[in-house]
Amino acid sequence: MASFADVLVKKLLDGRYVASLATENPDGSIHMVAVWYWFDGGQIFVATSSRSRKARNLQSNPKASLMIDSRDAAASCGINIAGSAQILTGDSSRQANAAIHRKYLSDAALADPKVGPVFAAWDDVTIRITPVSVIAWDMRQADRQFFGGALESNPKYLLPLER
């Protein structure tokens, strides 16, 4: 199990990556969606609409998992955070969502009346995830341990990922 003090965990939580958020649908299947996130040092926040499937799922089952993956074939690393989730509304939601939007949108986008206010209205609630577990992986370490560095020393072994 990893912790927030781990360099890799901090890099991924503080970085600008797209995460995958998983919640449970009423029929027991998993709903997974790409999200933007913000980490305040102890909890993870995700902006969303109160009408979204993820927000509705969390109202009946407040458990969530968030995966952040570097999406780099040559240096793939990532974390999975599982925890309890709460839907925030009102001022606390607006403040958290503004932090998320500032993380992913430029000042020009935030100031553009066709962009900034639309995101602010669209994302009317926030999911706050309180972590229970953090698991991290780094394929560079696995390469050295299990493949003797073959993947790193032979860059043509790994095919490029689609962007």
Side-chain angles (χ1 to χ4, degrees), residues 2-65:
S3 77
F4 289 146
D6 294 344
V7 173
L8 174 62
V9 173
K10 290 176 67 69
K11 172 190 166 210
L12 291 168
L13 285 170
D14 292 339
R16 193 177 306 114
Y17 298 91
V18 174
S20 298
L21 178 73
T23 60
E24 187 177 350
N25 287 317
D27 68 1
S29 63
I30 300 302
H31 174 72
M32 190 174 295
V33 63
V35 296
W36 291 347
Y37 62 92
W38 172 63
F39 178 61
D40 75 350
Q43 297 174 317
I44 298 104
F45 298 83
V46 174
T48 193
S49 166
S50 57
R51 295 172 303 282
S52 69
R53 168 53 51 201
K54 58 189 168 288
R56 290 181 293 152
N57 283 349
L58 291 169
Q59 290 172 350
S60 59
N61 182 350
K63 294 180 186 174
S65 288

Side-chain angles (χ1 to χ4, degrees), residues 64-83:
S65 288
L66 186 85
M67 183 190 75
I68 305 168
D69 184 342
S70 67
R71 307 274 201 276
D72 182 345
S76 179
C77 59
I79 57 176
N80 186 72
I81 297 170

Side-chain angles (χ1 to χ4, degrees), residues 106-126:
S106 69
D107 289 339
L110 291 168
D112 186 328
K114 295 178 286 190
V115 179
V118 174
F119 270 102
W122 190 6
D123 293 333
D124 63 336
V125 298
T126 309

Side-chain angles (χ1 to χ4, degrees), residues 129-158:
I129 302 169
T130 302
V132 174
S133 70
V134 180
I135 298 169
W137 66 90
D138 187 338
M139 285 305 296
R140 293 166 296 195
Q141 290 178 357
D143 176 33
R144 290 180 205 116
Q145 183 177 354
F146 298 107
F147 305 113
L151 299 177
E152 186 176 26
S153 62
N154 297 296
K156 293 185 179 183
Y157 277 12
L158 295 172

